Amino acid sequence: MKQLLLVFIGGGIGSSLRYLVGSYFVNNTSAIPYGTLLVNIVGSFIIGILLGELLKNHALSSTLLLLLATGFCGGFTTFSAFAFENFELLKTGNYIAFLGYTLGSILLGILAIGAGVWVSKLAV
């Protein structure tokens, strides 16, 4: 039950923060949904830091991983919004924005994880 509560709390905080970030970018005139892109890249970076810390010295407890990785990052990042926004771009025929958003999200997400691992190795 404790594990479920940790995921619930982290997910609630992450989802609320995702909503706030998305709301900030709602009036954006660009076809690319920058709010979702930003939360997915930042979430990937945070996961990278957590992974780096775990690999570096196994200092993260399973409790902290549940709260931050599964809960917070799981609530903060969103694949369903990413898929929906891509569907909308395709439906409206905005193929350039679709390609930029899809490729940018995937490549930047992977790079953000790598950057997070790298940053965690620098920290003492």
Side-chain angles (χ1 to χ4, degrees):
M1 191 58 135
K2 177 184 173 186
Q3 292 89 354
L4 183 61
L5 184 60
L6 288 168
V7 172
F8 176 76
I9 291 169
I13 294 168
S15 295
S16 298
L17 189 55
R18 180 182 72 227
Y19 170 77
L20 291 173
V21 171
S23 295
Y24 180 79
F25 287 96
V26 154
N27 295 325
N28 191 342
T29 58
S30 172
I32 295 175
Y34 287 109
T36 304
L37 179 63
L38 179 64
V39 298
N40 286 338
I41 301 312
V42 170
S44 295
F45 181 71
I46 292 169
I47 289 277
I49 289 174
L50 294 172
L51 177 62
E53 286 298 314
L54 187 62
L55 292 173
K56 182 170 64 174
N57 53 17
H58 302 285
L60 293 177
S61 68
S62 61
T63 301
L64 197 55
L65 282 174
L66 280 174
L67 177 70
L68 296 176
T70 305
F72 177 79
C73 289
F76 185 60
T77 62
T78 173
F79 185 76
S80 58
F82 170 73
F84 173 74
E85 290 159 349
N86 273 302
F87 176 78
E88 290 295 311
L89 290 172
L90 286 173
K91 190 170 80 174
T92 60
N94 200 339
Y95 303 115
I96 300 298
F98 165 77
L99 284 173
Y101 181 46
T102 301
L103 294 176
S105 294
I106 293 168
L107 293 175
L108 290 172
I110 292 169
L111 288 172
I113 289 175
V117 169
W118 181 74
V119 165
S120 73
K121 288 181 180 181
L122 294 177
V124 176

